Amino acid sequence: MIRTYIADNEPRFLEELFSLIRIPSVSSDSNRKSDMLRCAERWKELLLSAGVDRAEIMPSAGHPLVYAEKIIDPQAKTVLIYGHYDVMPAEPLELWKSAPFEPEVRDGHIFARGADDDKGQSFIQAKAFEFLVRHNLLRHNVKFILEGEEEIGSPSLESFLEANKSLLQSDIILVSDTSMLSKDLPSLTTGLRGIAYWEVEVTGPNHDLHSGHFGGAVANPIIVLSEMLAKMIDERGRVTIPGFYDDVEELSPEERAMIASIPFDEDAYRKALDVEELRGEEGYSTIERNSCRPAFDVCGIWGGYTGEGAKTVLPSKAFAKVSTRLVPHQDYNKIAQQFCDYFQSLAPKSVKVEVRFLHGGHGYVCPIDLPAYRAAERGFEKAFGRRPLAVRRGGSIPIIADFERVLGQKTILMGFGLESNAIHSPNENMPLDLFRKGIEAVAEFHIAFDELVK
């Protein structure tokens, strides 16, 4: 029945999803405030048409949130569905094969910014809910909360949770904003890394200088910054911040054995990235490095002249954006200060350094013995024909740990993305077959939830 419903309604589903994608809701762009509100309003309309009894746009300290609910029975169990309607910037635009905010179906995929992260995946939740309501299959309450700041670290959501604990009361939280191992190998995310993110500024002379007159006599901030960043990782691939590993929980032999059992073709992984070899922390596998171990990355670096042609300049300033991915028990606030102190200590007297902490979030681990987790397993099994593997993922959703701390509930991470979906990159996409199977899996989750969660 669910597959027939999806097939019969797919043209409408896609046009509704495309109406969301066409709104460039880039939360990091201050010029997009009106688009953020417009996207929130469109989500409100779509949730009302899907069958919620109540939907409203609620203010926050930043971009607004969308709240909606369907209360079947005040005494029944409640599932709170979280998603986000903001997206990453689309740049560099020249690398897109089609316009990022004009969705295009090509080769069995939806190509657009937000096709996966997270408009596409949140829309999967909405359409599964719609199916259940229209076929009178929903036996528990459902609440939706869609925010507009996830891509900038959810700075306003924690205070919103604190102020609306009663409104958001639930028995489990369900999120589709993660990925699977492959289209043929479904998986449930059981852990996420935390994050800490900074911008650093290195200043040398008080103004740009002629590189012929001053080069070799005055420190070049770009060179100094590069030297400082190079010292952040040692020859073993470990982060050099003092105290960085103090709170890192080592993987148990049992967990390492479980990770080792996950099918993984390292050669195919390397070839897909077009790199000759991989690098990372010594003593750990690739999957362990990108999911269960902390990491340090330079996300952007700039300074001096970058325009067309040549300009012989010794710049006054150089900048970089850097991040650490953290594992459970690492406190991003503690790491934020440790990085600041250490990076300042690396600076020679020839420059001045400023470190600005931008945002952070804690890691998260979900127990696999929860009844709601088993309901998610059953949903995947129904849709994909096989039981999903339990895996940790390397990404961060900062608010997930706050859900547990503030609302007191665990989160089931039921995601349908693939690494090839290119989230945060040009040509982001969502395979249509995963879009369909995702709707089916979520609908089956809700049905199993009524049976398993008493």
Side-chain angles (χ1 to χ4, degrees), residues 254-324:
E254 292 78 15
E255 186 164 13
R256 296 196 76 175
M258 184 178 72
I259 293 170
S261 71
I262 295 173
F264 178 70
D265 186 335
E266 190 156 300
D267 286 338
Y269 180 85
R270 178 178 50 78
K271 290 176 182 177
L273 299 174
D274 195 21
V275 295
E276 291 191 14
E277 65 178 12
L278 303 175
R279 293 184 63 180
E281 186 180 4
E282 286 183 3
Y284 295 92
S285 69
T286 298
I287 295 181
E288 289 171 336
R289 290 170 181 166
N290 67 17
S291 64
C292 305
R293 298 294 297 172
F296 176 89
D297 280 292
V298 178
C299 302
I301 185 167
W302 70 98
Y305 179 71
T306 59
E308 184 178 357
K311 180 182 180 183
T312 52
V313 61
L314 192 159
S316 170
K317 293 179 178 292
F319 303 84
K321 292 183 185 290
V322 300
S323 71
T324 54

Side-chain angles (χ1 to χ4, degrees), residues 107-289:
D107 301 324
H109 294 66
I110 304 166
F111 284 89
R113 174 60 84 229
D116 175 332
D117 184 21
D118 184 43
K119 291 178 181 178
Q121 292 214 51
S122 293
F123 194 77
I124 283 172
Q125 292 283 347
K127 293 300 104 175
F129 168 80
E130 175 186 295
F131 165 78
L132 295 168
V133 171
R134 294 193 180 184
H135 290 82
N136 196 31
L137 295 172
L138 195 63
R139 300 290 179 266
H140 56 267
N141 307 317
V142 174
K143 298 177 180 179
F144 290 87
I145 186 72
L146 294 159
E147 68 153 323
E149 298 182 331
E150 195 275 341
E151 299 293 12
I152 55 173
S154 301
S156 306
L157 193 50
E158 183 178 354
S159 59
F160 181 86
L161 298 179
E162 293 281 4
N164 293 278
K165 289 182 182 180
S166 177
L167 179 69
L168 300 174
Q169 184 176 2
S170 66
D171 296 282
I172 198 70
I173 300 167
L174 182 64
V175 174
S176 291
D177 194 19
T178 50
S179 59
M180 307 192 309
L181 290 171
S182 76
K183 65 178 183 178
D184 301 316
L185 193 60
S187 55
L188 273 162
T189 298
T190 58
L192 295 165
R193 290 193 288 188
I195 188 172
Y197 198 108
W198 306 263
E199 181 175 292
V200 299
E201 177 180 341
V202 175
T203 303
N206 58 10
H207 62 281
D208 288 357
L209 304 176
H210 189 297
S211 64
H213 295 171
F214 293 91
V218 177
N220 186 311
I222 297 177
I223 295 174
V224 174
L225 174 59
S226 299
E227 291 171 342
M228 294 170 67
L229 292 172
K231 294 177 181 177
M232 297 302 301
I233 302 290
D234 67 17
E235 66 280 358
R236 297 177 299 154
R238 287 173 65 86
V239 181
T240 57
I241 300 171
F244 184 77
Y245 291 94
D246 287 354
D247 300 318
V248 172
E249 181 180 359
E250 290 295 329
L251 297 171
S252 68
E254 292 78 15
E255 186 164 13
R256 296 196 76 175
M258 184 178 72
I259 293 170
S261 71
I262 295 173
F264 178 70
D265 186 335
E266 190 156 300
D267 286 338
Y269 180 85
R270 178 178 50 78
K271 290 176 182 177
L273 299 174
D274 195 21
V275 295
E276 291 191 14
E277 65 178 12
L278 303 175
R279 293 184 63 180
E281 186 180 4
E282 286 183 3
Y284 295 92
S285 69
T286 298
I287 295 181
E288 289 171 336
R289 290 170 181 166

